[in-house]
Amino acid sequence: MRISTEGLTVRFGAVAALSQVSLEVASGERRGVIGPNGAGKTTLFNAITGDLAPSDGRVRLDGRDVSRLPSWRRARLGLSRTFQRSTLFPELTIAENLALAVRSRGGAWRFWPSRLERAVRLEVAERLAATGLAAVARRRAADISHGEQRALEIELALAARPRALLLDEPMAGLSGGERKAALERLRSLPAEVTLVIVEHDLDAVFAIAGRISVLDHGVLIADGSPAEVRADPRVQEVYLGHAG
Ligand SMILES: Nc1ncnc2c1ncn2[C@@H]1O[C@H](COP(=O)(O)OP(=O)(O)OP(=O)(O)O)[C@@H](O)[C@H]1O
Ligand SMILES: [Mg+2]
């Protein structure tokens, strides 16, 4: 799925959280979005998904203007996301969380109920194995570690079989090993799936993204290959400079 924004602007009172942001993310692209705290990264995601109505500008998915479509209709087109804060069902087990995500995917109604249950069980087992969560499958989501929760969130987003996936700081608070595992899982995404990832961990972003967009105070200040972005004096000043 191709994602484009055109002059996207979001104002909260006097604050412009996003100012005239125009972006093109090609189908199957791996795009990183970076920028300091409050730069507008989450706001950009919210405007693309329809969780927030922009003050101005448009959003297109595969060229189609979806600016007026509610978030659930954009999701139906194949747009999936994770949130910066956890959205798991804490009282359900890991396996139940996954089964819900698999079942809620459109199209499953075509199966006979008995076949559906079997198909869901098989897919849940596959996803548990792929994330290394099989050992904790029967524990409640509230009771597993932070790293396991984030891995589960990524897997829930993948279970929607999205055509485009927006990840908001999926690796925040993860250990080195957990980060590596998350990167591996994301690398296994089908090549045609578009991935946009917001991350403060620049090593992770540079490892996965072919192109990077940099936001600062709601303004898109750079957009290019990792090498171009690293070399950009404005980026060094507002962002990389702070990170040392
Ligand atoms: N619902 C809201 N009401 C008022 N101001 C908001 C709201 N959401 C975000 N903002 C402001 O908009 C700006 C951009 O916020 P946003 O959350 O998009 O930044 P971010 O780049 O995701 O930051 P972080 O790296 O901390 O997650 C900030 O100044 C923030 O305070
Ligand atoms: Mg954010």
Side-chain angles (χ1 to χ4, degrees), residues 37-38 40-43 84 168-169 198 200:
N37 291 116
K41 305 178 298 293
T42 298
T43 303
Q84 197 167 346
D168 199 352
E169 299 193 30
V198 165
H200 282 293

Side-chain angles (χ1 to χ4, degrees), residues 16-186:
L18 276 188
S19 298
Q20 294 289 326
V21 171
S22 297
L23 272 179
E24 279 286 337
V25 185
S27 192
E29 200 185 316
R30 302 320 190 220
R31 173 72 60 98
V33 176
I34 64 173
N37 291 116
K41 305 178 298 293
T42 298
T43 303
L44 173 67
F45 274 15
N46 288 338
I48 291 173
T49 58
D51 289 306
L52 184 96
S55 317
D56 199 6
R58 340 207 135 274
V59 176
R60 288 198 173 80
L61 300 178
D62 285 335
R64 171 178 175 189
D65 189 339
V66 298
S67 307
R68 290 176 189 282
L69 292 189
S71 58
W72 64 269
R73 290 201 52 197
R74 299 186 205 190
R76 282 269 173 88
L77 295 173
L79 191 61
S80 178
R81 75 173 302 183
T82 62
F83 288 86
Q84 197 167 346
R85 273 192 239 135
S86 181
T87 52
L88 301 171
F89 291 105
E91 298 302 322
L92 297 185
T93 68
I94 312 319
E96 287 164 349
N97 268 281
L98 274 167
L100 262 185
V102 171
R103 275 203 201 91
S104 64
R105 191 169 62 214
W109 54 269
R110 284 182 281 118
F111 294 95
W112 294 105
S114 59
R115 295 227 184 140
L116 170 65
E117 281 317 304
R118 195 178 131 72
V120 169
R121 261 204 318 277
L122 281 174
E123 185 173 332
V124 167
E126 267 170 36
R127 293 189 179 279
L128 285 168
T131 47
L133 292 173
V136 293
R138 288 173 197 290
R139 291 179 55 194
R140 295 185 323 153
D143 298 336
I144 58 176
S145 73
H146 175 77
E148 289 165 337
Q149 288 175 346
R150 307 251 45 155
L152 177 57
E153 277 160 16
I154 293 175
E155 202 57 32
L156 293 178
L158 293 179
R161 293 216 183 117
R163 298 176 56 224
L165 178 58
L166 311 183
L167 301 176
D168 199 352
E169 299 193 30
M171 299 181 205
L174 296 193
S175 70
E178 289 166 340
R179 250 160 233 262
K180 251 181 99 182
L183 276 178
E184 283 308 306
R185 187 66 183 135
L186 293 177

Side-chain angles (χ1 to χ4, degrees), residues 180-195:
K180 251 181 99 182
L183 276 178
E184 283 308 306
R185 187 66 183 135
L186 293 177
R187 284 219 183 83
S188 76
L189 265 180
E192 68 275 11
V193 176
T194 308
L195 176 70

